[in-house]
Amino acid sequence: MIIDSLTNGQKYASLNKHFAAAFNYLSSTDFMNLEPGKHDIVPDELFAILSEYQTKASAGEEMEAHKKYIDIQYIVSGTEKMGVALLKEQAISKSYSDEKDFLLYANAPDYFIELGAGQFVIFYPNDLHLPTIEVNGPATVRKIVMKVSVG
């Protein structure tokens, strides 16, 4: 897991063959005027998902993980907390879906991080995460999730 601000994004370009393109897209796109939804950049290897939502309480929520894609989660506007844990021997609560590249774990996060506008976090497949959590009550967040192929 890596946490930083977008102004430092290119420092991580060498960590994956698509990170330079991902951070260039994040730096050069006006996400306030872009339609929510999926936006392909490199088919099957790099795409963006823009969403806007209300943050929620962490009670009853479960951590997620992926196998095929690394997440770069960038906060366009608003603030949210994210629960985090390293993948160890946690109990899987929802089996892996190859189609959705998604599985859930019922264990509680080891800790929470807080991200605001202009900040990003990179979650690798061994980083369990619980996004969209409220800081001081429900609030609107606009976020882009870059999905970067691990291969």
Side-chain angles (χ1 to χ4, degrees), residues 1 22 27 43 49 53 55-56 71-72 77 131 137:
M1 178 181 69
S27 298
I49 301 170
Y53 51 85
T55 57
K56 57 192 172 208
D71 278 5
I72 302 175
S77 64

Side-chain angles (χ1 to χ4, degrees), residues 20-151:
F23 284 109
N24 183 54
Y25 183 81
L26 288 172
S27 298
S28 63
T29 305
D30 180 1
F31 295 113
M32 295 307 290
N33 291 310
L34 187 66
E35 285 294 317
K38 182 179 176 183
H39 303 273
D40 284 316
I41 302 164
V42 178
D44 298 324
E45 294 191 24
L46 176 63
F47 59 93
I49 301 170
L50 178 62
S51 57
E52 188 168 292
Y53 51 85
Q54 289 291 115
T55 57
K56 57 192 172 208
S58 62
E61 297 297 318
E62 296 182 324
M63 291 186 293
E64 64 184 62
H66 314 286
K67 293 183 179 184
K68 295 189 293 188
Y69 292 97
I70 299 164
D71 278 5
I72 302 175
Q73 297 194 15
Y74 172 67
I75 305 295
V76 177
S77 64
T79 303
E80 76 176 55
K81 286 195 309 187
M82 298 178 188
V84 178
L86 293 177
L87 179 59
K88 296 177 247 175
E89 297 178 11
Q90 294 93 336
I92 295 173
S93 61
K94 183 173 182 176
S95 297
Y96 180 71
S97 165
D98 187 59
E99 178 184 330
K100 295 182 180 182
D101 187 39
F102 184 84
L103 68 158
L104 293 176
Y105 293 84
N107 304 67
D110 290 339
Y111 56 92
F112 285 86
I113 58 174
E114 185 175 313
L115 271 76
Q119 294 180 302
F120 69 87
V121 60
I122 300 174
F123 291 120
Y124 288 90
N126 64 329
D127 297 322
L128 303 182
H129 49 287
L130 175 63
T132 71
I133 304 303
E134 64 191 17
V135 175
N136 294 314
T140 302
V141 170
R142 189 170 184 93
K143 178 169 69 178
I144 186 89
V145 177
M146 303 297 300
K147 302 297 267 184
V148 184
S149 174
V150 297

